[in-house]
Amino acid sequence: MLGTTNSVVLIILTVSSSLLFPISEQYSNCSPINPMNITNCKKLVTLGAEFGWNIHSNTEIDILFTIRPPAKWIAWGVNPGPQGAEMVGTRAVIGISQPNGTLAVRKYNITSDTKLGCRLKPSQDFDDVIVKNMKGEVKPRRYMSIFATLILPPDQAAYNILKLNHVWQVGFEADDALMEPKMHSTSLQNVDSTETINMTTGRGLSIGHRQHHLRTVHGILNIVGWGTMLPLGVIIARYYRRYPFQCPRWYVVHVSCQIVGYTLGTAGWAIGLWLGHASRHYSFSTHRILAICIFAFTTLQMLALRLTPTKTDDYRKYWNMYHHFLGYSLLAVISVNIFQGIAILKPNKTWLWVYVGVLGMLGLVAIGLEIFTWTKFIYDLYRGKKSRLEFHDGANRSN
Ligand code: HEM
Ligand code: HEM
Ligand SMILES: *[C@@H]1O[C@H](CO)[C@@H](O)[C@H](O)[C@H]1NC(C)=O
Ligand SMILES: *[C@@H]1O[C@H](CO)[C@@H](O)[C@H](O)[C@H]1NC(C)=O
Ligand SMILES: *[C@@H]1O[C@H](CO)[C@@H](O)[C@H](O)[C@H]1NC(C)=O
Ligand SMILES: *[C@@H]1O[C@H](CO)[C@@H](O)[C@H](O)[C@H]1NC(C)=O
């Protein structure tokens, strides 16, 4: 009895602590995929990668880097800084899978030229780090691993196993004969694949937990604000103003929707700017440029609250055309940018399903109302004609 209570308490504690600390301490337990007898292992935060290491001395370590296929090349490296853990400046060990089913491993010096798209060729020995015993292993559909022994230079500022900058990556294209890996994808998983690690504990010193939560908040605020409330406001303005429904309160509801949408959206936008600023090594330029346009032009639309010409002004007609045109264009750009944001978070599918659901609902309502409008219009037209016809008929029949 006591035993069950205890285990229930234990389960609850474990579950709640793993919810509170989602990146739990998973080092020291290596998965069965461990061809090199490495004793410390941890799951890395991105790309489903696993990292293992043995410490021989302050300057000599073994490393094992494993991912689940498919992939064409897998890479792991150390970066002495000064910018911290980033791609440029990494001394990397890269394994490229060969047509005969082996994984060929070489050393690579990754420079800013690589990032600009120059060919990445294997290099001779590095100036500082010595790499020995490089090996690669592939088990189709099970794992791809690279293994190496590193002798770090004694420069403690650049290479300190208590705070070592390490970087990893996976790519799907390479010239296997020339041993040249080609560009990797740049979704968030691929640009978040860096960490500063304390190898004695396995703890990452620079994982952005706060960033992780703020990204979720950013996505939700933007999908609700720009992606749901604004289109809802447009639907109300289109179908409830005069035709097919004449609802005298349409204006209040429309303006409220737009104000709420604009406020939530702007908050999400500001968080996005902060996130973009915080992750200084990379940026999502399309997403960013569209975001700035969206904010600028919705602000312009909101000015309509104050600047609408009075009903009697001559140019009211043109002003209306402009307000409507900008409104519909903005809806299109917003939806494109939401898909852009979701693509950054790929391969997380939840966002996609949620937003496709929202779009589907809005689309169904709009299509339904549009069909209703046209049916009603044609019906009214027919009725109008018919009553006129009936009038003529009546006049004829009196003969
Ligand atoms: C129309 C709606 C949206 C606007 C106006 C917007 C705005 C922004 C802005 C200004 C940035 C900073 C870009 C940079 O400087 O690199 C950003 C980044 C980002 N956005 Fe959005 N966004 C929108 C929708 C979304 C959605 C729906 C998602 C996800 C579901 C999303 C996910 C992200 C992510 C993951 C980042 C990168 C954060 C980082 O750098 O750590 N965005 N967004
Ligand atoms: C093969 C040629 C490569 C090309 C052309 C390339 C290109 C790029 C580009 C253009 C970005 C910036 C993405 C953005 O800001 O949107 C980037 C980021 C990144 N790359 Fe590469 N890359 C290559 C190889 C590698 C390798 C081998 C590694 C790992 C050892 C790696 C790790 C990273 C990481 C961690 C980032 C994000 C952080 C940062 O920007 O420094 N890349 N890469
Ligand atoms: C790993 O350990 C096993 C058993 O201890 C041994 O047979 C094997 O040769 C070791 N492998 C390596 C790569 O050291
Ligand atoms: C596989 O191919 C690579 C070069 O493509 C070669 O170096 C290696 O020896 C080959 N290995 C086997 C087992 O055939
Ligand atoms: C590698 O690149 C760095 C610059 O990032 C450079 O200083 C160094 O000389 C290059 N060559 C070797 C072999 O490490
Ligand atoms: C790394 O971990 C060790 C052992 O827990 C600790 O003494 C040291 O202060 C840590 N270093 C950093 C930079 O966190």
Side-chain angles (χ1 to χ4, degrees):
M1 189 63 209
L2 202 67
T4 27
T5 322
N6 274 351
S7 47
V8 165
V9 169
L10 204 70
I11 287 170
I12 291 174
L13 275 181
T14 323
V15 168
S16 56
S17 66
S18 66
L19 285 178
L20 282 176
F21 307 102
I23 295 159
S24 53
E25 315 295 310
Q26 292 175 25
Y27 50 90
S28 85
N29 261 346
C30 291
S31 75
I33 303 169
N34 182 6
M36 301 299 170
N37 292 347
I38 292 275
T39 48
N40 307 298
C41 292
K42 74 180 254 182
K43 250 182 120 46
L44 295 173
V45 282
T46 61
L47 300 170
E50 195 176 289
F51 178 57
W53 69 99
N54 285 338
I55 302 176
H56 297 302
S57 76
N58 271 350
T59 53
E60 186 175 344
I61 53 174
D62 292 336
I63 64 95
L64 170 71
F65 176 75
T66 303
I67 69 125
R68 279 179 199 286
K72 179 67 185 171
W73 57 265
I74 69 174
W76 179 91
V78 286
N79 192 324
Q83 293 282 343
E86 61 165 336
M87 171 180 145
V88 172
T90 297
R91 281 76 166 135
V93 179
I94 303 183
I96 300 182
S97 73
Q98 299 295 318
N100 64 9
T102 58
L103 191 69
V105 187
R106 300 282 187 281
K107 289 172 273 191
Y108 295 81
N109 193 23
I110 297 176
T111 63
S112 47
D113 292 344
T114 315
K115 201 164 180 171
L116 291 175
C118 295
R119 294 160 63 184
L120 180 58
K121 298 182 189 132
S123 53
Q124 301 306 311
D125 290 334
F126 299 125
D127 299 339
D128 42 13
V129 181
I130 298 170
V131 182
K132 299 188 301 185
N133 307 335
M134 291 190 297
K135 285 192 201 65
E137 272 215 16
V138 188
K139 270 260 157 56
R141 286 187 296 279
R142 289 249 296 138
Y143 65 87
M144 288 172 86
S145 306
I146 47 182
F147 172 87
T149 300
L150 265 64
I151 298 173
L152 304 170
D155 178 0
Q156 286 291 301
Y159 297 101
N160 182 341
I161 59 165
L162 299 182
K163 47 179 199 319
L164 193 68
N165 301 318
H166 72 138
V167 174
W168 59 96
Q169 196 54 269
V170 169
F172 289 91
E173 248 185 282
D175 187 325
D176 42 52
L178 293 174
M179 286 301 291
E180 287 177 9
K182 300 266 184 288
M183 179 77 185
H184 51 83
S185 117
T186 53
S187 71
L188 204 61
Q189 291 258 330
N190 298 76
V191 292
D192 260 2
S193 51
T194 73
E195 182 184 61
T196 303
I197 187 177
N198 185 342
M199 289 197 137
T200 57
T201 61
R203 212 162 265 144
L205 303 173
S206 60
I207 305 167
H209 290 278
R210 194 167 41 153
Q211 241 142 304
H212 184 78
H213 290 306
L214 277 178
R215 276 179 197 143
T216 311
V217 175
H218 170 77
I220 293 174
L221 282 177
N222 281 314
I223 288 181
V224 173
W226 303 128
T228 312
M229 295 308 280
L230 289 193
L232 211 59
V234 169
I235 286 178
I236 284 162
R238 185 176 169 86
Y239 300 105
Y240 287 83
R241 185 181 40 180
R242 216 174 296 140
Y243 203 78
F245 307 110
Q246 195 161 21
C247 171
R249 293 173 59 79
W250 77 271
Y251 186 71
V252 183
V253 182
H254 169 67
V255 170
S256 317
C257 271
Q258 303 316 71
I259 289 178
V260 171
Y262 179 76
T263 313
L264 295 181
T266 304
W269 176 78
I271 292 175
L273 283 186
W274 186 89
L275 283 170
H277 179 74
S279 47
R280 64 211 150 88
H281 294 317
Y282 51 85
S283 63
F284 300 95
S285 29
T286 316
H287 189 61
R288 183 197 179 89
I289 291 167
L290 290 181
I292 290 170
C293 292
I294 288 168
F295 177 70
F297 287 108
T298 38
T299 306
L300 209 61
Q301 284 293 78
M302 294 308 284
L303 290 180
L305 281 179
R306 306 301 314 246
L307 298 182
T308 312
T310 55
K311 281 211 167 73
T312 51
D313 279 343
D314 276 350
Y315 54 91
R316 167 82 181 216
K317 196 171 82 194
Y318 300 106
W319 189 91
N320 271 348
M321 275 163 69
Y322 143 83
H323 187 73
H324 294 186
F325 176 74
L326 189 55
Y328 290 125
S329 317
L330 270 172
L331 290 194
V333 175
I334 284 170
S335 140
V336 167
N337 207 32
I338 289 179
F339 280 118
Q340 284 279 330
I342 290 171
I344 295 174
L345 291 174
K346 179 178 67 177
N348 182 343
K349 282 270 186 286
T350 319
W351 289 107
L352 192 62
W353 292 127
V354 168
Y355 184 57
V356 166
V358 168
L359 262 192
M361 297 276 267
L362 288 169
L364 274 183
V365 169
I367 290 173
L369 285 169
E370 193 69 21
I371 291 174
F372 180 74
T373 307
W374 280 97
T375 325
K376 185 164 154 78
F377 179 71
I378 290 166
Y379 179 72
D380 287 352
L381 208 69
Y382 176 69
R383 276 247 318 223
K385 261 216 191 110
K386 203 172 155 199
S387 58
R388 248 177 285 140
L389 276 178
E390 265 166 7
F391 177 76
H392 280 290
D393 271 6
N396 285 344
R397 219 177 285 132
S398 69
N399 284 343

